[in-house]
Amino acid sequence: FGPRYEFRVDDIYRRVPGGILETSQVAGYDGQRLSGLGLNLNQDTRDNIFQPTKGWNNRFSWMGFASFLGSNFSFNQYTADFRKYIKTTDTHVLALQSWWSFTTGNPPFQHISLIGGSDRMRGYFEGRYRDNHAMVHQAEYRLPVYRNLGMVLFGHAGQVAPKVGDFGWKRFRYGAGFGFRYKLNEEGLNIRLDIAFGDQSAFYFGLNEVI
């Protein structure tokens, strides 16, 4: 448990003539300066930080941005991230995640809740779907293949909404995919390559696991 401070400045130096940013002039269309204070609460009972086979990894955070801190937008953002790891066999692991984000006040469009990208909803372009509130639920099944080579199968569902009451089954967007892992050391640090299918097909390359 502890405090958090965030400062961020973005400038938009070019806009498409007649495009959404220029015509609608949504909050943040001309850039943003954010300064905020918040709190973090983490609970971690995993047996390994790189390749957990059991336990929880839960995170809660609140950030408040205000003019008296130097921010030109005033809003609050709350996030909750629940992760559970289940050992299904001696070598197979099921990883589950439920992530929630709620934004209130007058946030710029760059900082509202969004889905997509390499961490949440692979196969969706990060930020294509964004609104005041968002949720993402993900599952990943991990299994060994040969020596340091492993494989994962994953699926996910997520949605965004302007109001909490607007969340609904029909708003969900779905995706799935598979990937390969190569273990670099005994601690379990992996190189990962994922192939995902959502509203587009995408490849992701990186270190460590997504969930």
Side-chain angles (χ1 to χ4, degrees), residues 1-209:
F1 177 79
R4 175 183 174 188
Y5 174 73
E6 183 173 339
F7 180 78
R8 171 174 170 173
V9 176
D10 292 294
D11 184 32
I12 297 177
Y13 61 90
R14 185 173 60 190
R15 291 186 292 269
V16 176
I20 294 176
L21 287 183
E22 190 172 87
T23 56
S24 64
Q25 295 190 0
V26 296
Y29 86 100
D30 201 27
Q32 62 171 344
R33 184 184 68 253
L34 300 180
S35 179
L37 290 172
L39 294 172
N40 282 340
L41 174 63
N42 297 335
Q43 179 204 26
D44 191 349
T45 63
R46 295 174 294 174
D47 56 346
N48 184 290
I49 62 172
F50 295 120
Q51 289 297 319
T53 62
K54 62 181 180 179
W56 290 86
N57 184 21
N58 300 324
R59 303 175 183 178
F60 308 87
S61 70
W62 161 74
M63 284 297 302
F65 300 90
S67 57
F68 74 88
L69 295 172
S71 178
N72 56 4
F73 292 95
S74 297
F75 64 99
N76 291 280
Q77 193 160 58
Y78 310 85
T79 60
D81 188 346
F82 306 96
R83 305 185 187 198
K84 173 64 175 175
Y85 304 90
I86 304 169
K87 191 174 185 179
T88 59
T89 72
D90 286 342
T91 57
H92 293 202
V93 175
L94 175 64
L96 303 171
Q97 180 187 27
S98 181
W99 175 86
W100 302 75
S101 176
F102 306 96
T103 312
T104 62
N106 181 39
F109 80 91
Q110 301 97 320
H111 221 70
I112 54 178
S113 304
L114 56 87
I115 62 177
S118 61
D119 293 330
R120 289 184 290 272
M121 298 285 289
R122 284 163 282 183
Y124 287 83
F125 184 79
E126 184 175 12
R128 175 172 292 169
Y129 302 103
R130 61 179 73 201
D131 214 316
N132 290 330
H133 314 300
M135 68 166 83
V136 172
H137 309 293
Q138 303 190 114
E140 189 168 279
Y141 195 80
R142 302 168 183 165
L143 61 153
V145 175
Y146 179 72
R147 292 188 176 179
N148 287 1
L149 182 65
M151 187 176 182
V152 301
L153 305 171
F154 57 86
H156 41 253
Q159 61 177 289
V160 298
K163 295 184 293 186
V164 173
D166 291 333
F167 281 138
W169 290 107
K170 293 183 179 180
R171 299 182 71 99
F172 273 112
R173 301 181 183 276
Y174 302 92
F178 62 94
F180 298 96
R181 303 290 185 267
Y182 186 82
K183 187 167 69 173
L184 295 176
N185 55 36
E186 290 301 319
E187 287 72 26
L189 180 64
N190 280 342
I191 293 177
R192 62 181 172 90
L193 173 65
D194 290 331
I195 303 168
F197 307 94
D199 63 353
Q200 62 180 0
S201 299
F203 294 86
Y204 301 93
F205 181 80
L207 286 175
N208 220 345
E209 299 293 352

